[in-house]
Amino acid sequence: MSDVELFPGHVSPLGLGTIPHEDVHLYSGRELLQRVVDGLYPAPPIAAVLNFALTGVEEGRTVFRGVPNKRHLNPLGMVHGGWAATLLDSALGCAVHSTLAKGEAYTTVEFKVNLTRPITPDTGEIVCEGRVIHKGRTLAVSEATLKDSNGKLLAFGTETCSIFPVANLAAR
């Protein structure tokens, strides 16, 4: 495996991939995500496609950073709303992931995004912070903000996730 640059200054030393399902029984959700941040697991492939990375994790909180570029433009020359939505979905879902016990997995049930300012390739680095606002036994709800380097709000969202045993994940 070789280093993969996700965006300027952020490299995945193990390339691209996913967390092995068998490791979900060995580590809590927060520990698994910290291993991604620490480069002990590869970055997910979507991170390289959309130029973003998980850069911080705590129990119930995650931080992603990304840099949109010309590959992410819509026909009118603005960064496609899907770029912001994907970054928000990542922070929202991983915030829930950070609260999971060993052997638990999650999936998004629904999410809502509000785009408040246009994003262009000149916007520069963007920070997306996700936080869990409710966690039950089988459902969790999170919220996230997407801000530019000056702290201006670009988008925000909420998400509901289903929590279940990792054994229920579909076979690869």
Side-chain angles (χ1 to χ4, degrees):
M1 290 188 217
S2 61
D3 289 357
V4 172
E5 184 175 65
L6 303 174
F7 65 93
H10 286 73
V11 173
S12 175
L14 296 180
L16 304 174
T18 60
I19 295 171
H21 285 181
E22 58 272 12
D23 285 9
V24 178
H25 295 289
L26 303 175
Y27 302 101
S28 70
R30 187 199 53 75
E31 291 169 326
L32 289 167
L33 293 174
Q34 187 62 55
R35 292 172 67 81
V36 173
V37 172
D38 294 342
L40 299 174
Y41 289 131
I46 192 72
V49 173
L50 296 182
N51 290 1
F52 69 77
L54 173 64
T55 60
V57 62
E58 300 170 11
E59 182 87 13
R61 179 180 173 272
T62 56
V63 177
F64 281 75
R65 295 177 187 280
V67 179
N69 64 41
K70 292 179 182 178
R71 291 181 304 157
H72 307 124
L73 298 180
N74 66 24
L76 292 176
M78 305 304 290
V79 172
H80 192 282
W83 187 89
T86 303
L87 192 51
L88 284 162
D89 181 40
S90 298
L92 290 159
C94 285
V96 170
H97 190 169
S98 74
T99 67
L100 300 182
K102 293 177 184 177
E104 287 185 319
Y106 77 97
T107 192
T108 301
V109 174
E110 64 82 31
F111 77 108
K112 170 143 182 17
V113 172
N114 291 81
L115 304 167
T116 58
R117 282 193 168 83
I119 301 172
T120 73
D122 295 328
T123 301
E125 186 173 281
I126 291 174
V127 177
C128 188
E129 181 179 341
R131 294 164 301 286
V132 172
I133 56 175
H134 168 77
K135 181 178 182 283
R137 188 176 52 80
T138 59
L139 287 177
V141 179
S142 54
E143 63 184 7
T145 57
L146 193 70
K147 297 180 179 180
D148 69 12
S149 61
N150 295 319
K152 287 186 180 179
L153 184 66
L154 303 171
F156 64 94
T158 58
E159 182 161 290
T160 302
C161 293
S162 175
I163 300 168
F164 52 88
V166 71
N168 292 0
L169 281 175
R172 291 188 195 189

